Amino acid sequence: MVTRTDAPTRREQILKEAARLFAERGFHGVGVDEIGAAVGISGPGLYRHFAGKDAMLAELLVGISGQLLTGAKRRLQEADGTAGPEAVLDSLIEGHIDFALDDRPLITLHDRELDRLRDTDRKLVRQLQRQYVELWVEVVRTVYPSLAEPTARSAVHSVFGLLNSTPHLGRPAALPGRAVTAELLHRMARGAFAAAGPTDS
């Protein structure tokens, strides 16, 4: 979810293994004891970190939505007017590709388990996602000024669908390699935006 140079905390280890197991076997197909065993602690020991599986799922889905938004805002701040709109869009695409390739279990979780969240958590996920989409829409319309806002928004959602399809591409070992796959996804994303509307001359 986030690039780190230091060792992950025990809480982060639990979340990583919970995401993997939930994605592989479904939320109800995984017990607390199994998550604990995956990180080398007893099932009851997990309750020192989380109130239960529901809390883990909420932190995973709310957390990644928040991280995507924060990362996109950071990329815009780093550009700070020094990079052209095309470069900013490329940076946003690269950030989402990193998520799509490195956090594939979370995409599966979102697709399958979002409705299991409490209403408040699910609404927060949706709120963060809307902010993330609108940030993209603004950048896309800067690159493609001829795009009406609804069309730009539809294009952004379509590109997310394209990039988030990575869990269906097969096991990572079956892909042509991370760099090649990332480059392919990037070309396809830019191609989708270009097809939505040409850059004004």
Side-chain angles (χ1 to χ4, degrees):
M1 285 178 277
V2 176
T3 301
R4 301 176 57 99
T5 55
D6 54 334
T9 65
R10 177 51 61 91
R11 187 180 182 87
E12 289 168 336
Q13 291 173 343
I14 293 169
L15 286 174
K16 180 179 179 180
E17 290 304 316
R20 179 182 65 81
L21 290 168
F22 291 159
E24 288 177 356
R25 292 159 47 193
F27 181 75
H28 287 306
V30 179
V32 171
D33 289 343
E34 295 168 275
I35 298 171
V39 294
I41 61 177
S42 67
L46 286 181
Y47 292 107
R48 293 197 297 271
H49 302 277
F50 296 96
K53 290 197 307 177
D54 289 339
M56 293 179 210
L57 182 64
E59 184 155 336
L60 284 166
L61 295 183
V62 173
I64 193 55
S65 297
Q67 288 170 32
L68 282 170
L69 178 60
T70 299
K73 287 180 176 178
R74 184 182 66 249
R75 287 171 181 270
L76 290 183
Q77 290 171 353
E78 289 171 352
D80 194 26
T82 60
E86 299 260 359
V88 174
L89 179 57
D90 283 334
S91 181
L92 288 179
I93 293 171
E94 289 166 6
H96 199 96
I97 288 173
D98 285 343
F99 157 66
L101 292 179
D102 298 338
D103 292 301
R104 294 169 74 184
L106 291 177
I107 297 174
T108 301
L109 271 188
H110 181 277
D111 290 345
R112 294 179 183 171
E113 312 289 359
L114 181 63
D115 288 344
R116 299 193 187 280
L117 295 183
R118 295 179 305 171
D119 285 346
T120 52
D121 290 326
R122 188 167 58 252
K123 288 178 181 177
L124 179 55
V125 168
R126 294 301 192 194
Q127 179 185 11
L128 293 168
Q129 290 175 339
R130 282 194 297 271
Q131 293 178 49
Y132 184 58
V133 168
E134 293 311 308
L135 185 151
W136 275 68
V137 168
E138 183 176 348
V139 173
V140 167
R141 294 191 71 209
T142 302
V143 177
Y144 302 99
S146 64
L147 280 183
E149 186 173 312
T151 304
R153 189 171 294 109
S154 294
V156 168
H157 280 291
S158 297
V159 167
F160 288 170
L162 166 69
L163 300 181
N164 291 349
S165 69
T166 54
H168 308 293
L169 298 179
R171 300 186 65 82
L175 299 179
R178 191 189 189 286
V180 174
T181 302
E183 183 182 359
L184 172 63
L185 290 171
H186 198 126
R187 289 200 313 270
M188 294 177 71
R190 286 306 303 262
F193 284 130
T199 306
D200 286 0
S201 58

